[in-house]
Amino acid sequence: MEKKQKVNSTHIAGKHYNVSDYDNKEDTLSSGLAVTHEQVSDNYMEGTIDAVIEREDGTVDEIPKKGYE
């Protein structure tokens, strides 16, 4: 049975997303960071499904849920 090579976890924990991670697909860590970044970005841009706008002063404006006429 072959032993797995130990990974330096401080190297992994210190890695941050970089735009070049999209290009560097050979590295599993870079590829994972690129995919995670894409998912977070998509969710952030999508917003929430409750259709409200929360203002800085605490008021909430509901977005009407009506279709096109």
Side-chain angles (χ1 to χ4, degrees), residues 6-17:
K6 289 188 177 183
V7 178
N8 184 355
S9 61
T10 58
H11 173 69
I12 293 173
K15 178 106 169 88
H16 297 281
Y17 167 75

Side-chain angles (χ1 to χ4, degrees), residues 15 17-25 30 34:
K15 178 106 169 88
Y17 167 75
N18 191 333
V19 177
S20 65
D21 289 337
Y22 280 104
D23 300 330
N24 189 8
K25 295 295 181 180
S30 295

Side-chain angles (χ1 to χ4, degrees), residues 31-68:
S31 177
L33 284 173
V35 169
T36 302
H37 180 266
E38 186 72 24
Q39 291 171 342
V40 170
S41 178
D42 289 347
N43 284 327
Y44 177 76
M45 296 307 281
E46 180 76 23
T48 60
I49 61 170
D50 56 358
V52 297
I53 299 173
E54 297 175 1
R55 306 288 181 189
E56 290 181 10
D57 62 1
T59 60
V60 176
D61 296 329
E62 290 191 25
I63 300 173
K65 298 176 184 175
K66 59 182 180 180
Y68 293 103

